[in-house]
Amino acid sequence: KALLLADIVVNANVLGADGTLNGNPSDYRTWTAIGTDSYAYAGTFDGQGHTISGLYFNNTNTSNVGLFGYISNPTIKNVGLVDSYLKGNRYVGGIAGFVNGAAQITNCYNAATVFANFYGDSDAGGICGYLGNASALIDGCCNTGYVSGYLRCVGGICGIQINGTITNSYVPFYGLWMDD
């Protein structure tokens, strides 16, 4: 279990006003997502209304990218991701790349740039890349960040929702594009 007691800044001024990288990426510390498909994050993370900023990840050979890479049965709540750049292969999301099990993501927001490079079903989303379990819930979340991917499965909240429920969540019309 984790309780965020203050805002966290990993790197400063990662994004320009248009959502692109600001400065020289080699100067940024690279983020390692919390949880993998072998060791999924399954605890409770309460951000208590704080933000995490300056996450930087850019490796198009890696899937399950986000603040959390792969989660199964966790509770993630009350946290915002800002001024961050996350680019991976597939299953890329601001809060979580791959959501499995009875996950609960509530009152979270993303204001980061998210990009999936997989040429096919990219699965890139502002909150999560992939939502796949009927018991999963995303509630009260918002994305104002830029989300991009190739061809299909790019969304403001989730790149793809196979199962699960999304309620009381929104995305402004801007900031979503697909490359082909």
Side-chain angles (χ1 to χ4, degrees), residues 53-71:
S53 66
L55 300 188
Y56 171 77
F57 185 86
N58 187 358
N59 183 334
T60 57
N61 294 317
T62 301
S63 294
N64 304 326
V65 175
L67 171 60
F68 294 86
Y70 192 104
I71 61 176

Side-chain angles (χ1 to χ4, degrees), residues 65-68 81 86 88-99 105 109-117 121-131 138 142-150 152-161 166 171 175-177:
V65 175
L67 171 60
F68 294 86
L81 180 65
L86 301 168
N89 182 37
R90 192 171 184 197
Y91 311 128
V92 183
I95 302 300
F98 196 99
V99 178
I105 301 175
Y109 68 91
N110 176 61
T113 294
V114 175
F115 182 75
N117 196 53
D121 294 342
S122 297
D123 303 323
I127 301 300
C128 73
Y130 178 91
L131 181 65
I138 294 177
C142 172
N143 174 53
T144 59
Y146 292 94
V147 180
S148 181
Y150 285 107
R152 298 184 299 248
C153 301
V154 176
I157 298 296
C158 289
I160 187 166
Q161 177 188 3
I166 300 172
V171 178
L176 180 65
W177 70 91

Side-chain angles (χ1 to χ4, degrees), residues 3-70:
L3 190 64
L4 204 55
L5 300 176
D7 294 343
I8 294 176
V9 178
V10 177
N11 296 291
N13 302 314
V14 171
L15 297 180
D18 62 354
T20 59
L21 278 171
N22 189 24
N24 185 353
S26 65
D27 294 336
Y28 300 137
R29 283 181 277 171
T30 299
W31 176 249
T32 300
I34 302 166
T36 66
D37 54 352
S38 299
Y39 298 99
Y41 181 80
T44 297
F45 182 93
D46 186 351
Q48 295 195 113
H50 293 289
T51 61
I52 297 173
S53 66
L55 300 188
Y56 171 77
F57 185 86
N58 187 358
N59 183 334
T60 57
N61 294 317
T62 301
S63 294
N64 304 326
V65 175
L67 171 60
F68 294 86
Y70 192 104

